[in-house]
Structure formats: C-alpha cells, structure tokens
Amino acid sequence: MELATKRSRAVVDAVLFSLICSVSLVFAGDIVHQDDIAPKRPGCDNNFVLVKVPTWFDDIEQEEFVGVGARFGPTLESKEKDANKSRVALADPPDCCSTPKNKLTGEVILVHRGNCSFTAKAHVAEAAGASAILIVNNQTELFKMVCEADETDVHIGIPAVMLPQDAGASLEASLQNKLTVYVQLYSPKRPLVDVAEVFLWLMAVGTILCASYWSAWTAREAAIEQDKILKDASDEYLNTESSRSSGVVDINTTSAVLFVVIASCFLVMLYKLMSYWFIEVLVVLFAIGGVEGMQTCLVALLSCFRWFEHAAETFVKVPFLGAVSYLTIGVSPFCVTFAVVWAVYRRISFAWIGQDILGIALIVTVIQIIRVPNLKVGTVLLSCAFLYDIFWVFVSKWWFHESVMIMVARGDKSGEDGIPMLLKIPRMFDPWGGYSIIGFGDIILPGLLVAFSLRYDWLSNKSLRAGYFLWAMIAYGLGLLITYVALNLMDGHGQPALLYIVPFTVGTLLTLGKKRGDLRHLWSKGEPDRLCPHVQLQHSEQ
C-alpha cells in the first residue's frame, strides 16, 4: 500500500481542514441593501437598490454603469422596456446647490457630490425641471444617500441615483466633448429562483453522496481485511497492522472545539490580509489541494477498471513520498496541468467549471480522509460550526462594522472575484448576473456526519430504510433547501447555511437514534470495530 503517500495526504488535509472550512456561506450577490442606521421617515424610506444605467453617446450604445438608488424619491422601474430613455445635462454650477444656469426640460441632470445635502440637490434639480438626478461620488465606491437628521418630512418627486467616480467622469467627458448623451434608469428585480441555485444544491448533495459511499466502502473493505487478519493473528499484531496501514484521521471532541478557534483565526487573517497578492497565495494553496484531491479521486476511480488494476497495484519508491503506484504517477501530470491551466486562466468566463471540479475533488478527498468516529464528536463539531457561522456572518458586524464572512467570500478589497475555496455557478437568468456560491464548510462539515451515518449502517448491516444514512441525507438536502429559501427572501444577502443545515442533520440523527434505542451506541461507540456476524458469514460464503 502507499503508506507514506497516505500519511502525507492525511497530514496535509488535516492542516488545511480549518482553512478550507473557514468560509461557510451561501451567497447570491445582494441587490437590496437594508440599513438600520440610516434614518427612515415619511418620504425617506426607500431601500437602497442597485440601479442599471445603460448609456448612449450620439445614439451609439456604450457602457452600462451601476449606481445605487437614494433613500428618498420615487422608486425606479424594474423593467428596461418601461424605463424612459432621457438626455443627460451637465449641472452648472456642478454641485447643483443653487439654481442651474442652463434651462432643463425633462433631462437627467449630472451633478457632483458635496457642498450641500443630497436632498437639497434633488430639490434644486426638481425645481429646475430635471426628470432625475445623477450624483457623482468623489470616490470609486458607491455611497448610500440618506436624508438629513433634521429633515422631518421629505417630498422629492424625481429619482436620485449615485454613480461611482469613474462612471461620472466618463459621462462628463462626453458631455464636454459636445456629444449627445442618453441614459436609462431602472432597477431589475432578481428572480425568485435561479437555475444556478438548483445546480448548486444538486452539486452539494451529490458530492456528499459520492464521498459518503466512498468512505463507507473503504471502511467496509478495511473491516473485511481486519476480519481476515483476526483469524490468523493476535490482537497485538492486529492493532499494530491497523495503525501502520491507516491513512484516516479520526477527529475527537477537542479537535472539534479547536476547529472554531483555528478557523476563526484563519478567517480574520483572510479578512485583514485580503488583497491581490493574498488571493494569489490562496489560489496556489487551492491548486495544490485540488491536485491532491483530483489525483486521489482519479486513482480510486480508475483502479476499479480491470485495465488499470495492475498499474494501481504496482509500486515504485519515490524520494520523500515513499511507495507510489504507477497509476498515481500516470495521472499526476494531468492533474497538475489541469490545476495550472485553471490558475492561469481563472478570470475567463467559464473558469468556474475548473474551480468546481477541483473543489469537488478536494471535498470528496477530505471527507474520505478526515472522519467523525461517533455521533458525539459529530454533534460537538457541527454545534461549534453552527455558532461559528452565526457569529462571523451576523455578530461580527458589531465589531468590524461589516460581515466578515461575506467580505471574505466576496473577496472585497482584492480586485478578484472572490476567494477560490467556493463552489460557484453563474446566475443564468438573473439580470444582474454574478454567481451563486456555497462555501466548502457547508458541504464538508455536515458531510462528515452524513458519511459517518452510512459507515455505521454498512458495518452494522442495517438496510437503507432501517439505517440512518437515508434520513441524514434527506435532512441535509432539506436544510440546504431552506437556506436557499432564506437567501431569496433576503434578496440574495449572504446566509450562514449551517444555521439551517445543522439543526436538520444533527436533530434528525439524535431523534432517530433515541426512538430506535441506538443513541447510546451512536453517541459513544459509533462505528463497530468489527463486521457483524451476518456480514462475516456473507463474506465467508463468497
């Protein structure tokens, strides 16, 4: 067996476990921004919505900008066909704090931020005859336009939208060059369900399904091998042989608790060091883990075919790695090439496919190597992850003034489209585009418990209905489904998936175990040390 290779894989995956699972989030890119700090009052109670601003220069369609609607003013149309195409006029004076010198007849007026309040600018623009006001920020980011604290009743009859500095500079330069500029202002609504979320759900459930069956199959093969040895060897030899050949890391309650601490440290490090170069480091680490995962999965898959059996069972000694099969050596160049190509071209539109392939291979391998030995450890691990998820998505806003988990998942301040430790699919029918994503932690952590339930069922010779795996799998699927329902109710704002998944999975196993009288065995002993007599008999008859 590839003993050294297995040990190195176990160590690597155990070390990277906290980093891989540190991001645990379902996200779809929110377009409605709730704000409990900005004051709301009559006439100043709009939600902050993103606004599409397509442009035309001399009747030639140009770039489409994205702005943010103000707390005040009428709401914008949600459909492009209902939005008016209006000419843009440059304010004079530029700040629009006093009556413009140019006469307006329904144009959209472009003004600079500063020197007076947002509502004052909107009042002046409306009185001058503008149909809408575009306020250019003095920074590249967008800013939420609110009413002043002393304004008790606001009556503004034109929409107000803020544009980032670069968008405003483009429009202003075109106007100064005597070009005729037109814009449309509308805020499309996100569809209730996008097919991307359906595929992500299938990917997450399918990944856990495959990983669980692989984990249970290897556990059963190990039990059969152990049973063979038991017939001809002493317990001392058996224990020595088992410790030598095992490439599995069983976590305990202490490591389950430490996971929260270590993962939190990783998450804060990601948040504080988030930058272009740090994303590059994460890409390298992810590519290395992806190569390891893909190689492990391919070797396991190909060794099931008769043509590759000899290559899988023939070994050569490699420095620093020990005995490595010829099949492993054969698939390694492909895996390395795949990961390198993805890393180099990860910014192209379909690079998400490569990221998902590497990610799924890594997740399956981690669930195969890192195992939960009993329900007690699984409950502690998922309970800690439950609190971890809630804290870093919601509670962290009180200390950091923003959700740390969401900021890390989106890769804010890095110039990149999020960190690589995510599965993602483009939102195909969403007018805002973007990606639906799910963090590795939302699959790996509950996946460890689901895989344990299948190993328990197989080694205890329980049928699918009488066992625990089917119900654990259904519970995970329902928990993730509820997560996506909550995600859409929150207009795409990131949700801690484990908030919904953990009660479903852990609660189902605890309830079923108590009802069937298996809870004590599930809780403390977990997987049987040996095959049950019926399975031994079946094996001896083959």
Side-chain angles (χ1 to χ4, degrees), residues 106-406:
E107 290 89 351
V108 175
I109 189 168
L110 185 69
V111 309
H112 289 182
R113 178 184 174 184
N115 298 331
C116 62
S117 68
F118 296 122
T119 52
K121 296 177 188 291
H123 278 302
V124 170
E126 184 181 8
S131 61
I133 181 170
L134 293 176
I135 301 177
V136 181
N137 196 14
N138 50 19
Q139 298 176 2
T140 55
E141 293 83 11
L142 293 172
F143 186 83
K144 295 178 178 179
M145 297 186 291
V146 300
C147 303
E148 295 298 309
D150 56 354
E151 293 178 312
T152 56
D153 198 6
V154 180
H155 297 284
I156 295 175
I158 61 173
V161 177
M162 172 161 283
L163 290 177
Q165 189 177 42
D166 54 348
S170 174
L171 295 177
E172 188 171 353
S174 301
L175 290 168
Q176 290 174 347
N177 290 332
K178 307 301 182 183
L179 298 178
T180 304
V181 178
Y182 284 88
V183 297
Q184 274 185 312
L185 304 176
Y186 65 103
S187 180
K189 294 181 180 179
R190 190 181 296 280
L192 289 177
V193 179
D194 191 90
V195 68
E197 294 167 359
V198 177
F199 281 115
L200 264 186
W201 186 90
L202 291 172
M203 284 171 58
V205 171
T207 298
I208 289 182
L209 191 67
C210 294
S212 298
Y213 271 97
W214 186 13
S215 178
W217 181 81
T218 54
R220 185 169 65 177
E221 290 298 306
I224 291 173
E225 186 67 26
Q226 187 179 27
D227 187 48
K228 284 182 181 178
I229 297 173
L230 183 62
K231 294 177 180 178
D232 304 314
S234 65
D235 288 340
E236 182 179 356
Y237 174 77
L238 174 63
N239 294 332
T240 304
E241 186 67 21
S242 298
S243 63
R244 284 176 52 204
S245 60
S246 177
V248 173
V249 176
D250 280 334
I251 58 177
N252 53 34
T253 52
T254 302
S255 57
V257 174
L258 284 177
F259 158 76
V260 175
V261 178
I262 298 172
S264 296
C265 293
F266 273 126
L267 192 65
V268 172
M269 180 182 69
L270 292 172
Y271 175 72
K272 291 294 185 181
L273 299 179
M274 188 61 66
S275 60
Y276 174 80
W277 69 266
F278 196 68
I279 289 289
E280 296 294 316
V281 173
L282 293 179
V283 166
V284 172
L285 292 176
F286 173 73
I288 294 172
V291 167
E292 182 70 22
M294 181 178 282
Q295 175 183 288
T296 304
C297 292
L298 283 177
V299 168
L301 182 63
L302 293 176
S303 60
C304 296
F305 294 95
R306 186 173 53 187
W307 304 284
F308 299 100
E309 282 183 2
H310 181 70
E313 296 171 358
T314 308
F315 299 87
V316 61
K317 193 170 184 180
V318 178
F320 306 108
L321 296 178
V324 179
S325 70
Y326 283 104
L327 183 58
T328 301
I329 295 174
V331 302
S332 292
F334 169 77
C335 298
V336 172
T337 302
F338 187 94
V340 170
V341 170
W342 168 80
V344 173
Y345 296 101
R346 70 183 186 279
R347 295 180 182 86
I348 63 177
S349 59
F350 53 86
W352 61 272
I353 299 174
Q355 179 172 326
D356 287 351
I357 291 173
L358 291 171
I360 289 173
L362 179 57
I363 290 170
V364 170
T365 301
V366 171
I367 294 177
Q368 162 66 15
I369 292 177
I370 299 178
R371 295 185 181 178
V372 167
N374 52 51
L375 185 55
K376 176 183 176 181
V377 173
T379 302
V380 172
L381 176 65
L382 286 180
S383 298
C384 291
F386 174 83
L387 298 174
Y388 166 88
D389 229 17
I390 294 174
F391 180 86
W392 289 111
V393 173
F394 295 133
V395 183
S396 62
K397 294 178 183 178
W398 297 346
W399 279 273
F400 298 90
H401 307 293
E402 56 188 0
S403 173
V404 172
M405 185 83 76
I406 292 176

Side-chain angles (χ1 to χ4, degrees), residues 457-508:
D457 288 352
W458 279 21
L459 296 178
S460 300
N461 196 35
K462 290 183 178 291
S463 66
L464 188 63
R465 241 181 115 180
Y468 294 91
F469 170 70
L470 175 64
W471 308 108
M473 201 72 236
I474 292 173
Y476 175 78
L478 286 176
L480 188 57
L481 181 63
I482 297 299
T483 303
Y484 281 116
V485 172
L487 180 71
N488 286 290
L489 290 176
M490 295 292 182
D491 296 295
H493 188 73
Q495 293 294 301
L498 295 180
L499 171 65
Y500 310 96
I501 293 172
V502 170
F504 272 87
T505 52
V506 175
T508 297

